[in-house]
Amino acid sequence: MRVFICYKKNLSRDEGGVRLVQENTKAEILHYILAQHAEYDPWMDDARLMAGMHWETEIYRQILASDVLLVLVGPGTSQSEWVRREIALATALSLAVVPVGFDLADEEMVAEVKALNIADRQYVMTRNIALSRGDALVAELAPALEHAARATAARQGRRPPRRTRARDDQRAASFTLPTGVALHLASGDIAKVRGIDALVNPENDYMQMARFFESHTVSSLLRRRGATIKAGLYVDTIQQELDWQLRERGRPVQAGEVFATSAGGPASELAKVNKARAILHVAAVQAVDAESKVIPYKHPHQIEACVRSVLAALADINAADGVFSPPGTPQRGEQERLAGLGDGRLRSVILPLLGTGQGGAATTEVIGPMLETLADNVDLVPDLRELYISCYAQEDLDTVTREVAARFG
């Protein structure tokens, strides 16, 4: 569950006619405690903003990707314009809000939530925001957070997450294919991987990426993190580049076809933080307009076709020394620079478990065709050094580990 922690950095209250101001250390403690529990993925602005990030834009981006907005309400919180903005954005996006009060008397809490215009939300009062009382705090907050996440899912038309995310580990298990290529299992959130050249995005056959706020899809994650900022506005770099790649093609495309884009260019978060260079969009979902639904491909022959196409696309990119984006764009310039240095080719790629998301296929059904196709066709890409398979849930990781170990030891 992604929890955005909304808080005021400096708390203030009047005591005996004197204005007292103190740093809000409770937010950092709350973040730390939630982060120790696998079912929560908390975010606060001080925790993950990196040098060079656009501060305001990153906060908005994180709210778009969250399941719950937890408003940490202490003395003077209602005086913060930023807290008000974050609550307003969450409300506009149908994101459930959970006020959590501390260091306040009951009447003070009522006044704060009223001033923040969230008096209609059920709030939690706690005295457990302390490192020594972490388990008690989580037990106290869990019912409200779970209820809020379900409410967000219902309002936004999402499927609430039902599986426990595995611990984030880019190399939770490692093996070697008969060809000598390394195969790693990356557990947990695919957004946490670093230094993998190409990311595979299972996309619909119209090559229309998911909207920014549909946070529980790989497509939305990549589109959001690959966007750039120009003159204070989002530039939808990856979708624009995908449209350019299909400029002379009709839609829908054929099942299993792959179209390559950059990771948003050198200024995108995918490039700067994840160190990704390319996204391979594979047509793994059929969009049925008449029924307003999508049908993901999950049969063995469909999974095999998608994997073969991904490897073929990698080979084509490397044959062009990694230069494939629209001419005159920053991403094309970066590709040409790397090619000039002899470092343009892609040497690593990460694939999700195709067909297991909205497709509903069991991991045991798809991992066999994926592994067999990878082993039989990896020599199509002689420059490839590392393959990764993304396993979001612990049960996926356990299943895939057993299957890979049985095949490749």
Side-chain angles (χ1 to χ4, degrees), residues 17 63 113 126 163 237:
I63 291 176
V113 295
T126 184
R163 302 184 299 165
T237 310

Side-chain angles (χ1 to χ4, degrees), residues 71-385:
V71 183
L72 195 55
V73 183
T77 297
S78 59
Q79 299 168 13
S80 170
E81 182 61 30
W82 267 110
V83 169
R84 292 173 179 272
R85 288 188 193 181
E86 290 167 2
I87 292 172
L89 179 60
T91 301
L93 294 172
S94 300
L95 189 69
V97 175
V98 177
V100 176
F102 69 97
D103 291 350
L104 292 172
D106 287 341
E107 61 272 16
E108 291 175 315
M109 181 64 177
V110 170
E112 286 286 337
V113 295
K114 184 176 181 180
L116 290 168
N117 200 29
I118 51 174
D120 57 331
R121 272 71 159 191
Q122 187 69 37
Y123 60 78
V124 177
M125 293 290 288
T126 184
R127 297 183 183 277
N128 290 318
I129 305 180
L131 295 176
S132 60
R133 296 197 289 274
D135 289 343
L137 177 64
V138 170
E140 191 174 39
L141 297 181
L145 293 177
E146 291 169 7
H147 176 78
R150 288 193 296 270
T152 296
R155 294 170 188 168
Q156 296 185 349
R158 302 180 187 176
R159 285 184 178 183
R162 293 183 176 90
R163 302 184 299 165
T164 300
R165 193 185 84 194
R167 180 174 61 89
D168 296 325
D169 187 345
Q170 189 163 320
R171 295 186 176 183
S174 296
F175 304 87
T176 303
L177 298 180
T179 57
V181 174
L183 173 61
H184 307 292
L185 307 185
S187 60
D189 191 351
I190 195 172
K192 305 295 177 61
V193 301
R194 302 289 187 269
I196 300 176
D197 291 337
L199 313 177
V200 175
N201 171 36
E203 196 52 81
N204 59 65
D205 54 357
Y206 280 85
M207 288 293 140
Q208 180 59 52
M209 300 182 76
R211 292 171 292 181
F212 277 19
F213 61 81
E214 294 173 357
S215 61
H216 293 289
T217 67
V218 174
S219 180
S220 173
L221 167 74
L222 297 178
R223 186 175 188 177
R224 188 169 58 248
R225 294 174 73 93
T228 54
I229 308 298
K230 186 174 183 179
L233 300 174
Y234 274 110
V235 178
D236 195 6
T237 310
I238 295 178
Q239 182 63 60
Q240 290 177 2
E241 188 171 341
L242 188 54
D243 292 338
W244 181 84
Q245 296 287 3
L246 279 92
R247 64 196 182 281
E248 296 178 354
R249 288 289 307 273
R251 306 192 205 199
V253 301
Q254 294 298 310
E257 278 196 273
V258 173
F259 298 87
T261 69
S262 71
S268 76
E269 189 174 351
L270 278 178
K272 293 192 298 183
V273 179
N274 299 91
K275 307 300 181 185
R277 293 168 52 191
I279 299 175
L280 304 179
H281 306 263
V282 57
V285 177
Q286 180 186 8
V288 184
D289 285 345
E291 302 177 36
S292 297
K293 66 179 182 180
V294 295
I295 304 175
Y297 303 131
K298 59 182 179 181
H299 298 296
H301 72 277
Q302 295 172 324
I303 300 296
E304 292 165 2
C306 289
V307 174
R308 281 195 300 270
S309 295
V310 165
L311 294 175
L314 278 171
D316 289 343
I317 290 172
N318 284 350
D321 288 326
V323 179
F324 58 92
S325 286
T329 60
Q331 53 268 38
R332 176 69 169 241
E334 177 65 8
Q335 291 163 3
E336 291 173 343
R337 184 187 72 82
L338 291 172
L341 296 173
D343 196 26
R345 299 187 176 192
L346 306 178
R347 305 187 187 280
S348 55
V349 62
I350 183 167
L351 297 94
L353 290 166
L354 297 166
T356 60
Q358 294 182 1
T363 301
T364 51
E365 295 179 81
V366 304
I367 189 58
M370 284 186 66
L371 291 176
E372 184 175 346
T373 308
L374 286 170
D376 290 346
N377 294 274
V378 72
D379 57 353
L380 289 173
V381 196
D383 298 290
L384 195 62
R385 299 291 178 264

